[in-house]
Amino acid sequence: QQGETLLCNSYKKGFGGKGGNQCVMVGKLGGDVRMVAMVGEDANGSAYVTNFADHKVDTRFVLRSQLPTGLAQIWVDEAIGDNRIVVYEGAAGQLNVDAANNLLKDGCLDGVDIVVCQNEIPLDTTLHFLRVAHEGGKITMFNVAPARGSLPDACLGYVSVLVVNESEASQISGVEVSCVQSATSA
């Protein structure tokens, strides 16, 4: 309930973020992968860059910010398997279109076939990357989590694969998703 203090059974700290996890997995599988992101100039940011490099993720396009590295808390109700994720975007929220254009000039998308974006940086920056990648003939994937309401209609023209769960589909479509039929409508 609102205002309630809860106890938990366990606590674990680890690396995460949808994009980070996906890059590390591709690196572990031997794929050619690069991370385009912004982390803080703090210990967490340094640890992330090191973790990426340790897993063969190209970190040339990971920028640093004076803001702290973003964090997420994941709460899991083990009894029913539901979770809630609370994200502090931190440095990632500073990855704006100007910074994106500098990364693009530096070649962050050169030679890539697939561009995967999440909604963990400012939406206008994500849409800019998706548009440039699409216009460059790349396959684009967009995971809208965390959903921030509706998406501009033009966005879907830049996206090859849209990844949503039921609550995200509801938020961006305005259709309450509760079954396969409503998900199809969304």
Side-chain angles (χ1 to χ4, degrees):
Q1 296 206 12
Q2 185 173 345
E4 181 180 16
T5 300
L6 302 172
L7 294 174
C8 66
N9 297 328
S10 64
Y11 166 80
K12 186 191 310 184
K13 182 178 178 181
F15 297 104
K18 289 173 179 46
N21 289 341
Q22 292 163 347
C23 281
V24 165
M25 189 53 63
V26 171
K28 283 183 172 185
L29 293 171
D32 182 18
V33 63
R34 64 185 67 151
M35 183 69 175
V36 177
M38 186 175 286
V39 299
E41 293 177 351
D42 55 6
N44 285 335
S46 296
Y48 266 92
V49 172
T50 298
N51 184 60
F52 291 142
D54 288 349
H55 290 95
K56 299 178 178 53
V57 175
D58 181 345
T59 61
R60 290 176 296 154
F61 304 105
V62 176
L63 303 177
R64 303 299 288 263
S65 168
Q66 291 186 350
L67 284 180
T69 300
L71 296 170
Q73 289 187 343
I74 305 171
W75 305 341
V76 179
D77 183 339
E78 294 175 349
I80 58 175
D82 283 348
N83 69 38
R84 290 183 184 217
I85 303 172
V86 179
V87 176
Y88 163 66
E89 65 183 5
Q94 300 300 301
L95 185 50
N96 59 31
V97 173
D98 289 339
N101 281 327
N102 288 332
L103 289 164
L104 290 162
K105 287 177 191 170
D106 290 342
C108 72
L109 298 184
D110 291 355
V112 302
D113 298 317
I114 302 171
V115 174
V116 181
C117 294
Q118 296 75 34
N119 212 9
E120 295 175 338
I121 63 173
L123 182 59
D124 58 340
T125 307
T126 300
L127 297 179
H128 184 65
F129 275 122
L130 289 168
R131 182 183 56 76
V132 170
H134 173 76
E135 289 172 356
K138 297 167 189 334
I139 296 169
T140 58
M141 297 179 69
F142 183 29
N143 184 328
V144 301
R148 302 175 190 218
S150 63
L151 296 173
D153 290 338
C155 161
L156 299 178
Y158 312 142
V159 178
S160 307
V161 178
L162 184 69
V163 180
V164 294
N165 66 20
E166 56 272 26
S167 66
E168 295 153 1
S170 296
Q171 284 185 36
I172 65 173
S173 71
V175 174
E176 183 62 34
V177 175
S178 60
C179 62
V180 173
Q181 183 177 350
S182 58
T184 303
S185 297

